[in-house]
Amino acid sequence: MAKLFAFTITIIALFSVSPSSASFVDDDGGIEVHNSNQREFDYFVLALQWPGTYCRRTQKCCKTNGCCRSSGAPQHFTIHGLWADYNDGGWPACCSNDSFDMNEISTLEKALYEYWPTLSCGSTSTCHGSKGSFYAHEWEKHGTCSASVTGDEYNYFLTTLNIYFKYNVTEVLREAGYVPSNSEKYPLGGVITAIENAFHTTPSISCSKGAIQEIHLCFYKDFKPRDCATRGVKTEINLSKSSCPKYVSLPEYVSSGRLTKGETFSQLRPDVASQ
Ligand SMILES: *[C@@H]1O[C@H](CO)[C@@H](O)[C@H](O)[C@H]1NC(C)=O
Ligand SMILES: *[C@@H]1O[C@H](CO)[C@@H](O)[C@H](O)[C@H]1NC(C)=O
Ligand SMILES: *[C@@H]1O[C@H](CO)[C@@H](O)[C@H](O)[C@H]1NC(C)=O
């Protein structure tokens, strides 16, 4: 605990010297705007995912898959990405030719393993007609588009971690009594209210089979919280339009197994991890 605290302080200290940039997103409705049509983005979305829900879909285990850890399982909301977004519901994607380089973020490896784990095997689309890791996708597709604020690749990841540390959704829900459970259901309105009370902003929440899958927090470009309301149908603050039922679950993490200890940090080294 003391160690984590010290680490957090370090991150914050670093951040205050080098404000950085962030980027944009994913698979979330809206229109992806590429290349020459991109204009400066309007706001940020910090997308968080709940491993307990996400990992229920796991069919394949590999060393990179955070859903398969037998120890050190994520017991908190983890980062999906920090996305640059437009008020009209679209978002810029692939805003530079900058390719992802794992070496640039090697000093953040522990934090990424803990708070920004890959939750699947396999590669995902990147920007130059190829595929890459989860991190490559987040940086190239989204991170490059908020470079005016979040800077280079390293600072994009660092900034995202800092924002995530500052707005601890897991803690807010726990304090409101919404703890991981495979039997309880919680009122969606109560979950939203707990976050509103803590952060003075309305989140957007999506579900899968009645379980909370993602929570999105939105920020102005100076990282002051703002509502996520303008992001199109899926994220409107209209509960009847949410993909969530009125009562939602927050399932406990169940390891998809098959990995043993000692395979931990390999997720950040695709060369080592590929089987
Ligand atoms: C990306 O590279 C192409 C080809 O080298 C170049 O024409 C284009 O201007 C570059 N785009 C950016 C955003 O740097
Ligand atoms: C957020 O809060 C949870 C629950 O209190 C805690 O386990 C976790 O370490 C916190 N996350 C960060 C990044 O401080
Ligand atoms: C919420 O969505 C329902 C169903 O689409 C619609 O009838 C209702 O008018 C909406 N409410 C608001 C405040 O937009």
Side-chain angles (χ1 to χ4, degrees):
M1 204 55 206
K3 216 169 161 192
L4 175 63
F5 184 65
F7 176 71
T8 306
I9 298 294
T10 309
I11 291 273
I12 288 163
L14 281 170
F15 179 49
S16 58
V17 211
S18 64
S20 87
S21 72
S23 75
F24 201 99
V25 156
D26 273 4
D27 327 321
D28 196 36
I31 296 155
E32 192 173 297
V33 179
H34 279 260
N35 306 326
S36 51
N37 296 324
Q38 291 146 345
R39 57 189 194 277
E40 180 69 11
F41 72 104
D42 296 318
Y43 72 103
F44 286 109
V45 176
L46 175 66
L48 305 174
Q49 46 197 4
W50 180 249
T53 299
Y54 204 92
C55 294
R56 295 194 302 193
R57 287 204 296 269
T58 303
Q59 295 190 328
K60 192 170 166 245
C61 274
C62 56
K63 291 180 185 178
T64 55
N65 192 346
C67 287
C68 302
R69 293 178 194 165
S70 52
S71 63
Q75 304 289 347
H76 39 247
F77 280 88
T78 59
I79 300 167
H80 183 168
L82 180 66
W83 304 334
D85 216 341
Y86 292 134
N87 286 329
D88 66 11
W91 65 80
C94 301
C95 297
S96 81
N97 285 340
D98 213 357
S99 291
F100 176 76
D101 178 0
M102 192 66 222
N103 292 327
E104 287 183 31
I105 55 170
S106 56
T107 55
L108 300 175
E109 198 167 317
K110 278 192 181 182
L112 295 174
Y113 178 82
E114 179 76 17
Y115 302 115
W116 199 336
T118 305
L119 296 179
S120 65
C121 299
S123 50
T124 168
S125 64
T126 52
C127 289
H128 315 293
S130 59
K131 295 197 151 203
S133 67
F134 178 42
Y135 304 106
H137 172 93
E138 293 303 316
W139 161 246
E140 291 189 13
K141 279 223 151 173
H142 308 298
T144 56
C145 294
S146 59
S148 63
V149 178
T150 53
D152 63 12
E153 180 191 312
Y154 172 79
N155 281 300
Y156 166 71
F157 284 93
L158 183 62
T159 301
T160 306
L161 287 164
N162 270 300
I163 298 305
Y164 169 80
F165 282 8
K166 192 165 172 191
Y167 296 90
N168 191 334
V169 167
T170 314
E171 185 158 274
V172 166
L173 296 192
R174 196 182 65 170
E175 281 172 2
Y178 305 133
V179 295
S181 165
N182 288 330
S183 52
E184 292 293 318
K185 287 204 193 295
Y186 304 119
L188 178 62
V191 170
I192 290 175
T193 302
I195 294 171
E196 284 176 339
N197 288 343
F199 303 145
H200 309 292
T201 176
T202 302
S204 146
I205 302 185
S206 64
C207 293
S208 169
K209 295 184 180 155
I212 293 178
Q213 171 156 298
E214 296 228 348
I215 293 185
H216 293 181
L217 299 178
C218 299
F219 298 90
Y220 292 104
K221 291 165 83 172
D222 60 2
F223 292 109
K224 289 208 176 73
R226 55 160 270 174
D227 291 346
C228 293
T230 52
R231 236 187 144 237
V233 174
K234 226 176 147 185
T235 57
E236 246 165 356
I237 334 169
N238 184 338
L239 294 190
S240 60
K241 281 184 182 167
S242 168
S243 62
C244 299
K246 275 193 171 148
Y247 286 84
V248 295
S249 61
L250 195 63
E252 290 170 41
Y253 171 97
V254 177
S255 173
S256 303
R258 280 179 284 173
L259 287 187
T260 48
K261 282 185 288 181
E263 294 179 313
T264 48
F265 295 99
S266 57
Q267 69 153 343
L268 293 172
R269 297 191 202 98
D271 50 327
V272 178
S274 58
Q275 295 169 325

